[in-house]
Amino acid sequence: MYSRQPIAEGLTAPSPSQEPVQANPHLRWHPLRGEWVAYASHRQGRTFMPPPQYNPLAPTTDPEFPTELPQGDYDVAVFDNRFPSLTQGANNPPNCIVETLPANGACEVVVFTQDPEASLGSLTLDHLDLLLQVWGDRTRLLGSIPQIQYVLPFENKGVEVGVTLHHPHGQIYAYPLIPPVCARMLEQQEKFYQEQGRGLLEDLIEKEIKDQQRIIYQDQYAIAFIPVCARYPYEVWLAPIQAVPSFIELSREQRQSLAKALKTVTLKYDGLWQRSFPYLMAWFQAPTDGNAHPEAHLHAQFYPPYRTREKLKYLAGTELAAGMFVNDALPEEKAKELQAVVVNLSEPVQV
């Protein structure tokens, strides 16, 4: 548990179920794609759309119906996912006609707030600052596990992206390898760094600031913008302007500015159509493989599924089969829509 105030000792919460989940996920090698696929069949039985009175992410109010969280004065809680895709104890993968490995790693749930009706946009700036510190603390702790090479915090928001619990929360996956998307981005960043002696994303941010067409938020330390190369109509990137490899290296000023940028983006999303705006938010950072990564630049990417007020952006033939995205709108047009949404960081919008 994490809080802006001292936390009372002795807070405990039993899990909603006393039955342990028999999790032993494994990896199988995909020879055509050159990447690993995780298999976790126990996840078929995970919690799915419980009624509000049985919210497993709310603090326990009735001992007869325990949740994952205790009563108490705290702001953010983290616990092990009961239905993990990766576990430190995974072992003895099955014999297959392709290479297999135990899916060693960790999966954590991060409950952003005790309020089930809240969202990132409704949280105060100091609460969001704390959340950024939580992501840094979990990166440090999980990254210190010898088998872990990459820590990825993310949030799925909205049923449109597959959310099964509406209480505001995210997850952290700690991988025994650098996942394909992260590896590809790091490869491009490393190549640019070796050739130019500076960071690729830092260079792109400098060009976005000069261009001034797609910026959603900017101050001295942080920026949020729809990138010129956006694959989704309302895709937004959020980053410190000066590169840092991970949450761990953020300065206090950078963290506070990122909190403002994060609140601005999420409020603008919700204010765009005056309703809760779904998205996937993923934070990319340096690997925890023990090597220096001066090329890495901590940043978030938001992938919203809507392309208009009523139309979803489905990933279909060219995206899934070919890996080539087709964007139905220009980033400059969508940036103007978000830029026009007026937000007040001290007075959250109710949606």
Side-chain angles (χ1 to χ4, degrees):
M1 289 170 286
Y2 298 83
S3 177
R4 293 163 288 176
Q5 305 297 328
I7 301 175
E9 295 182 2
L11 298 182
T12 59
S15 178
S17 173
Q18 299 303 311
E19 294 293 327
V21 176
Q22 301 300 320
N24 190 23
H26 68 278
L27 307 177
R28 299 185 186 185
W29 181 249
H30 192 305
L32 288 180
R33 295 179 64 93
E35 61 192 36
W36 293 99
V37 180
Y39 293 83
S41 58
H42 62 279
R43 286 174 52 81
Q44 288 283 16
R46 66 187 184 273
T47 308
F48 183 81
M49 297 296 186
Q53 63 270 31
Y54 296 115
N55 177 5
L57 302 186
T60 298
T61 57
D62 184 350
E64 295 297 318
F65 298 98
T67 70
E68 298 285 2
L69 304 183
Q71 291 285 333
D73 185 13
Y74 58 90
D75 298 308
V76 179
V78 181
F79 61 90
D80 290 332
N81 194 324
R82 290 192 65 247
F83 303 94
S85 303
L86 307 161
T87 67
Q88 293 184 57
N91 60 87
N92 297 321
N95 292 321
C96 296
I97 61 173
V98 293
E99 185 181 358
T100 64
L101 289 173
N104 295 126
C107 295
E108 295 186 336
V109 176
V110 181
V111 181
F112 298 153
T113 171
Q114 294 189 34
D115 183 0
E117 303 300 324
S119 67
L120 289 183
S122 72
L123 300 180
T124 61
L125 290 174
D126 58 343
H127 195 137
L128 291 173
D129 184 297
L130 175 66
L131 178 58
L132 290 162
Q133 293 180 63
V134 171
W135 284 329
D137 190 54
R138 304 318 299 177
T139 296
R140 182 184 299 106
L141 291 171
L142 293 170
S144 67
I145 300 172
Q147 65 198 42
I148 300 302
Q149 294 193 42
Y150 199 91
V151 178
L152 178 76
F154 63 92
E155 179 196 11
N156 297 318
K157 179 173 181 278
V159 295
E160 295 89 344
V161 295
V163 168
T164 58
L165 292 171
H166 289 295
H167 193 112
H169 72 286
Q171 299 182 63
I172 299 176
Y173 273 34
Y175 299 91
L177 46 83
I178 302 176
V181 170
C182 309
R184 177 60 173 162
M185 287 196 291
L186 286 164
E187 178 185 343
Q188 294 300 108
Q189 291 176 89
E190 171 66 18
K191 179 180 178 182
F192 187 91
Y193 189 85
Q194 292 298 328
E195 294 175 351
Q196 305 295 330
R198 61 184 311 218
L200 174 56
L201 183 54
E202 201 167 27
D203 181 77
L204 179 62
I205 288 173
E206 182 179 299
K207 292 175 180 176
E208 289 283 1
I209 291 174
K210 288 181 179 178
D211 197 42
Q212 283 292 306
Q213 290 194 71
R214 293 166 294 275
I215 296 175
I216 307 302
Y217 174 88
Q218 182 188 347
D219 64 19
Q220 182 179 354
Y221 299 102
I223 188 171
F225 58 97
I226 293 184
V228 66
C229 53
R231 299 181 303 163
Y232 293 83
Y234 294 99
E235 179 176 339
V236 171
W237 294 6
L238 189 158
I241 293 175
Q242 182 178 352
V244 296
S246 76
F247 286 105
I248 299 171
E249 290 83 12
L250 283 173
S251 69
R252 181 172 178 268
E253 292 79 12
Q254 287 175 313
R255 201 177 60 242
Q256 291 176 338
S257 288
L258 284 176
K260 293 177 183 178
L262 180 57
K263 187 175 179 72
T264 298
V265 170
T266 51
L267 281 178
K268 281 180 175 286
Y269 274 159
D270 287 347
L272 181 63
W273 298 319
Q274 292 300 304
R275 70 187 194 212
S276 182
F277 196 87
Y279 56 73
L280 163 62
M281 172 187 67
W283 284 89
F284 299 99
Q285 53 185 335
T288 58
D289 56 5
N291 299 318
H293 289 277
E295 77 283 359
H297 192 146
L298 170 71
H299 71 287
Q301 295 187 15
F302 288 81
Y303 309 138
Y306 279 98
R307 56 188 176 92
T308 71
R309 180 187 294 266
E310 305 298 338
K311 296 178 181 178
L312 289 167
K313 165 64 178 177
Y314 290 104
L315 302 189
T318 186
E319 290 90 2
L320 291 178
M324 180 175 177
F325 273 66
V326 176
N327 196 334
D328 301 322
L330 292 175
E332 295 75 25
E333 296 171 352
K334 296 305 178 183
K336 288 179 181 178
E337 293 181 34
L338 290 177
Q339 290 164 352
V341 179
V342 178
V343 300
N344 188 330
L345 297 187
S346 62
E347 297 180 7
V349 176
Q350 298 296 321
V351 294

